Amino acid sequence: MSLTGTPLFVTAIVLTAIAVLLPLPLWSKVRGPAVVRGLTRVLMMVFAQATAIALVFIGLNQQMNFYTSWGDLLGTGTYVTAAPDLGPDGLGGKKAEAEPKVRQEFTPVEGVPGRVRKTELDGKISGVRGEVMVWLPPQYDDPAYKDKKFPVIELIPGIPGTGKSWFQGVKAHEVLEPLMKSGKVQPFILVSPRAMLVGNGDSGCANLPGKVNADSWFSVDVRKMVVDNFRASDEARTWGVAGYSAGAYCAAKLAVAHPDRYSAAVSLSGYNDPGQEPSSLVAQDPELRRTHNLKALLQAAPTPPAVALWMSGAEQDGYLSGMDLKAVAKTPTVVHAEKVTGGHNLDSWSKQLPQTFGWLSQKVKAP
């Protein structure tokens, strides 16, 4: 039974109703010694509470898509087919443009209205195989744009979370489509890849030989797939990346580490220290945690990366991290820190999309 399917949700409703209603006629009819009667009644209450909690979780998960499978929920799912050491550039001696073209089939996404499509991508360089969701702007099929290429924003979900979270939870396409039609936001292709690659662990968008090559999955394989299947360029100036929570850290990190692949990043309620995510694989090693801190990455760069970073959130939930990064940034790196209210949740991040994508429209250029 699918974790996000209707049968499970209906089953949870029925069980909750039984657990709540059945004790009413049975409460006074329980027989046996006092200990047995007491234990039976306690078990009925526990069962009622457990089914109610399960129902709330299943309903919330269907709406927000934190977990799409039992493997994701239980931490048994893995999407890594190989994790060789790919070197500092994450390419393992290969050139992405020299690799065979990646041709994908796309299908509609259940429960997500509009033009969101999904595909199963076999990352030839990263060794990751996972789902990628793509949304094309309203202008994409307009005859007036038939010869034009479009800029791309890669969307990184938090942990837990899936690519579907950006469209069903944050509702990125619903918020941005009217803004693109009106010209307030330039038409972007939106692409959201799977981020939970090793059970419930957070890869920190890092290449960890022997475990996962998450950096190369996001910044090489997914980019190549988009360029090979849609009217998009691989130029850094035409690519941006955005994320929320753990995905916010990843977005900023990808831009800082790869100014040759991205020109701008939006970090919503992010952080600089990967150790702030309890499930971070990077933070398990003190030296990796230190070198993957965004401040350390920025300071260790041979030359300041030519990228623009937007970092927003409440004071202790992204804003101060942005101010800290801004303090060490040197031209041409630009860091904008924005203090916002609304909390660490999907609704708050959704409300920030008009402002952040208006900013991205100035930083990420059309091909």
Side-chain angles (χ1 to χ4, degrees), residues 28-45:
S28 60
K29 297 180 180 180
V30 176
R31 297 292 180 261
V35 174
V36 173
R37 295 198 305 273
L39 180 60
T40 301
R41 288 165 178 161
V42 168
L43 289 175
M44 285 193 290
M45 290 189 293

Side-chain angles (χ1 to χ4, degrees), residues 12 32 156 226 246 300 321:
I156 315 297
V226 173
S321 294

Side-chain angles (χ1 to χ4, degrees), residues 19 26 35 58 78 109 130 152 199 209 215 284 294 299 309 333 337 343 350:
L26 296 181
V35 174
I58 293 169
T78 180
V109 180
V152 183
D215 184 313
Q284 293 176 7
L294 293 184
Q299 292 172 313
L309 306 177
T333 306
S350 181

